[in-house]
Amino acid sequence: MRGPEEKKLTPSAGGRKKKQPEKKAHSMRTELSGIVIFIIAIALIVIGLANAFLLTPFYRVNKQKKIEACYRKINALSDASALTNEILTISVQDNISVTIVDSDFQSIVATTSDAERNTMRLFGYYTGFYSDSVHVIEKKHNYVIQETTDSRIHTSYLEMWGQLSSGDYFLLQTPLESLSSATRLTNLFYIAAGSVVIIVAAVAISFVMKRYTKPIVQLTDLSKRMANLDFDARYKGKETNEIGDLGRSFNKMSDELEKSISDLKAANVELQKDNEKKTQIDEMRKEFLNNVSHELKTPIALIQGYAEGLTDGVADDEESRDFYCGVILDEAKKMNLMVRRLLTLNQLEFGNDPVVMDRFDIVQLISGIISGMQLMISENGAEVSFPYNQPVYVWGDEFKIEEVMNNYLLNAIQHCEGEKRIEVTLDQDENHLVTVSVFNTGKPIPEEDIGRVFEKFYKVDKAHTRSKGGSGLGLSIVKAIIDGHGQKCGARNYDNGVSFWFTIEGKV
């Protein structure tokens, strides 16, 4: 298919406009690969820094926790000399040498071959004559935790010494291996391993990204061809993931666009059928005139008949004359009401009575209408329920919405049967759309009629409507008003009655 013709640039005072060169887009493959490699590098650096600065403190804290746990186990033994084997087990498990002496510093338990030297060390701690460097980490009432360096063999130890609950003295000692060289070696390993990981990851990511970005590149090319109205372009990938779904959506969109253009061309053909539409409008006009003439025929005949009766002297007494005049006046009022409603409906349908949007309280409006109709409600033995007293603000033409509510309530009162119960309800959804419903008990509307009750002059029960003075225009006016507000209205059957509803925009 040919694309649209390019528009020619018009010359201006500064000469011809130059087309700005398109900015070269960054490759998604390059960007994603760089981001992933950067994240891996940051993770390796964080691990290396944690190893360099946190490994040694972590090791020392762990050693201190083990030596404290060892102390608690030994202190819980009632007789250290009788439980030498258990102490040896504890010592071997945690690599802690245990020395226990009595109050005279005579050896009770020693798990190291250098028991005499450790006894002297313990004696030196108590007398204060120990000469090696000591760094006290924690000092409690019964024990001291410290770090010492043996000057004889240049080895650091974590020690705990003090007095057991049995009164014996103890010395717990565990060696602190040199971590500085181990940390440096570990960091070198991380640097070497990290470099290899980054190189391997770069190659693997480049391969993976190429595989995953290839269909995206195809989709980009497809979108450009579609922008030029080339609807023969198709995405041919077989992926079952979101990219595949996107490609298939592109194909569907291409089909829909092509169909839409075809529909537009078909619409041009439809414009040639205006003559048929004019014929339909003429038929509608004829139907409207027939309906009007049919509705006016009955009251005119009644008026004519009773007027002739008065003229001929048929009603020779005052009571009969009053009855004849009453019928004439009643029918004249019905004709006047129907003509006014026709004029109102005509103005609404042709837009001669524009909607004036105001903010008003629909609860107050409905309450006022119900109060005004209270006498009619009582005469019909009906009961109206409207359980709302808090304001509900809506946007609309207050006078026209009042006309809608008047029609709905009059309709409900006239057709209320059985329990003679009328319920008016409001319901507001999350989009601030208010639905007003008027329900009355009685006979449901036949299903074949419920879809036509808003048509002009349509009556479900013609005899009943006539007796109540209805013309079949009230609900048509309702629909015209609601359509003018851009909202919806309708009727819904229930087992015990009928509900008429409409929507209106609530306060935002």
Side-chain angles (χ1 to χ4, degrees), residues 251-318:
N251 291 341
K252 184 178 179 181
M253 183 171 62
S254 177
D255 293 336
E256 293 294 331
L257 286 173
E258 187 173 10
K259 182 177 179 297
S260 297
I261 292 176
S262 299
D263 292 340
L264 287 174
K265 292 182 179 180
N268 291 330
V269 177
E270 291 295 326
L271 291 176
Q272 300 174 3
K273 299 180 180 179
D274 285 345
N275 290 332
E276 296 180 8
K277 292 183 179 179
K278 289 180 181 179
T279 303
Q280 292 176 358
I281 292 173
D282 289 339
E283 292 296 328
M284 291 173 62
R285 187 182 294 110
K286 290 179 182 178
E287 182 181 356
F288 176 77
L289 290 174
N290 288 335
N291 286 327
V292 171
S293 62
H294 177 75
E295 291 296 327
L296 291 176
K297 181 172 64 177
T298 301
I300 289 175
L302 287 171
I303 291 172
Q304 182 179 358
Y306 280 93
E308 289 175 353
L310 288 172
T311 303
D312 295 339
V314 174
D316 52 358
D317 60 281
E318 184 177 353

Side-chain angles (χ1 to χ4, degrees), residues 115-295:
E116 183 176 356
R117 188 171 185 279
N118 282 351
T119 301
M120 294 302 296
R121 180 188 291 268
L122 182 58
F123 178 80
Y125 288 151
Y126 271 95
T127 58
F129 289 106
Y130 187 74
S131 59
D132 286 351
S133 59
V134 175
H135 170 64
V136 177
I137 298 173
E138 185 178 1
K139 187 174 184 179
K140 293 288 182 73
H141 177 69
N142 292 328
Y143 63 84
V144 175
I145 300 176
Q146 61 191 23
E147 183 178 342
T148 65
T149 302
D150 193 333
S151 58
R152 180 171 57 89
I153 56 176
H154 302 289
T155 301
S156 296
Y157 293 93
L158 183 65
E159 292 183 338
M160 183 178 191
W161 61 273
Q163 191 172 20
L164 299 172
S165 57
S166 62
D168 298 329
Y169 299 105
F170 72 96
L171 173 63
L172 306 180
Q173 190 180 64
T174 183
L176 291 174
E177 292 85 1
S178 178
L179 294 178
S180 58
S181 59
T183 302
R184 285 194 297 270
L185 184 61
T186 304
N187 287 335
L188 289 174
F189 171 78
Y190 267 110
I191 292 172
S195 301
V196 173
V197 167
I198 291 175
I199 293 171
V200 173
V203 174
I205 290 168
S206 177
F207 174 79
V208 172
M209 289 302 173
K210 180 179 180 181
R211 178 183 175 186
Y212 277 93
T213 56
K214 183 178 179 180
I216 297 177
V217 173
Q218 293 178 11
L219 289 172
T220 302
D221 180 66
L222 176 61
S223 64
K224 291 178 180 178
R225 293 176 64 183
M226 288 177 60
N228 292 323
L229 301 182
D230 180 6
F231 299 119
D232 292 330
R234 285 290 183 274
Y235 179 74
K236 300 178 182 179
K238 303 296 182 182
E239 293 83 5
T240 57
N241 53 20
E242 290 81 0
I243 294 177
D245 292 339
L246 180 61
R248 287 182 284 276
S249 297
F250 264 66
N251 291 341
K252 184 178 179 181
M253 183 171 62
S254 177
D255 293 336
E256 293 294 331
L257 286 173
E258 187 173 10
K259 182 177 179 297
S260 297
I261 292 176
S262 299
D263 292 340
L264 287 174
K265 292 182 179 180
N268 291 330
V269 177
E270 291 295 326
L271 291 176
Q272 300 174 3
K273 299 180 180 179
D274 285 345
N275 290 332
E276 296 180 8
K277 292 183 179 179
K278 289 180 181 179
T279 303
Q280 292 176 358
I281 292 173
D282 289 339
E283 292 296 328
M284 291 173 62
R285 187 182 294 110
K286 290 179 182 178
E287 182 181 356
F288 176 77
L289 290 174
N290 288 335
N291 286 327
V292 171
S293 62
H294 177 75
E295 291 296 327

